[in-house]
Amino acid sequence: MSKLENASVQEPPLDYSFKSIQVIQDLVTEEPRTGLRPLKHSKSGKSLTQSLWLNNNVLNDLKDFNQVVSRLLAHPENLAWIDLSFNDLTSIDPVLSTFFNLSVLYLHGNSIHRLGEVNKLAVLPRLRSLTLHGNPIEEEKGYSGVTKADRTTAEVWKRMNIKPKKARIKQNAL
């Protein structure tokens, strides 16, 4: 990983939350929210961050997402965190599956109905955190808010920290 890429992991997000954004194109003219730390930019003026926060807006599709992200970020291919929570999305746009370094994707609080939509994200090798709660998808048979990794972690934790009942009974009897 180059020094530039490593530095961008530490950068604050490009934050467009709570901006009443209706279409992705609005990001080009809208100013991101300012945080405690200033955003760093490349010589071309593009942000060096790997995080894009679009939560709490009124987006109902991601038309032109790739083009706009390419205009905003110096390294859109390194985008690792996208927060699209609390919008009006009814499906998982296939454009999200093109960001192969994506590790965090927040989609909770939208209007996603079909469980099959999640399959579009199966090609993302680094995706570790996906939120879907607060969507109509929760009502579908087979939906579980718990991932396979969550179940594995829980099983390991259980084996490491909980003594069998028989052993506890024997200890109490002594």
Side-chain angles (χ1 to χ4, degrees), residues 41-166:
H41 294 87
S42 67
K43 289 179 183 174
S44 65
K46 295 179 179 184
S47 175
L48 294 174
T49 188
Q50 292 181 352
S51 304
L52 180 59
W53 292 359
L54 299 168
N55 57 297
N56 295 85
N57 284 296
V58 286
L59 294 167
N60 59 23
D61 68 48
L62 298 180
K63 184 177 184 287
D64 301 322
F65 190 79
N66 255 341
Q67 295 83 351
V68 171
V69 168
S70 293
R71 288 180 67 181
L72 297 173
L73 302 180
H75 300 284
E77 70 280 2
N78 291 339
L79 191 57
W81 182 345
I82 302 173
D83 186 344
L84 287 162
S85 61
F86 299 105
N87 276 286
D88 296 325
L89 300 172
T90 58
S91 65
I92 297 175
D93 195 296
V95 72
L96 296 173
S97 67
T98 65
F99 294 95
F100 292 110
N101 286 307
L102 195 60
S103 60
V104 176
L105 178 59
Y106 291 165
L107 291 169
H108 56 276
N110 277 284
S111 299
I112 300 168
H113 292 295
R114 292 183 41 246
L115 189 57
E117 290 290 314
V118 179
N119 295 337
K120 297 173 185 175
L121 304 173
V123 298
L124 298 173
R126 292 183 172 86
L127 188 61
R128 298 291 176 260
S129 180
L130 170 66
T131 61
L132 290 165
H133 56 278
N135 280 283
I137 196 172
E138 286 183 307
E139 305 303 317
E140 256 197 67
K141 186 177 181 180
Y143 172 82
S144 170
V146 179
T147 66
K148 183 177 179 181
D150 291 336
R151 285 191 296 273
T152 303
T153 301
E155 283 300 316
V156 169
W157 185 87
K158 183 178 176 183
R159 283 193 305 268
M160 291 173 55
N161 294 304
I162 298 177
K163 296 177 183 177
K165 284 183 180 179
K166 288 180 182 177

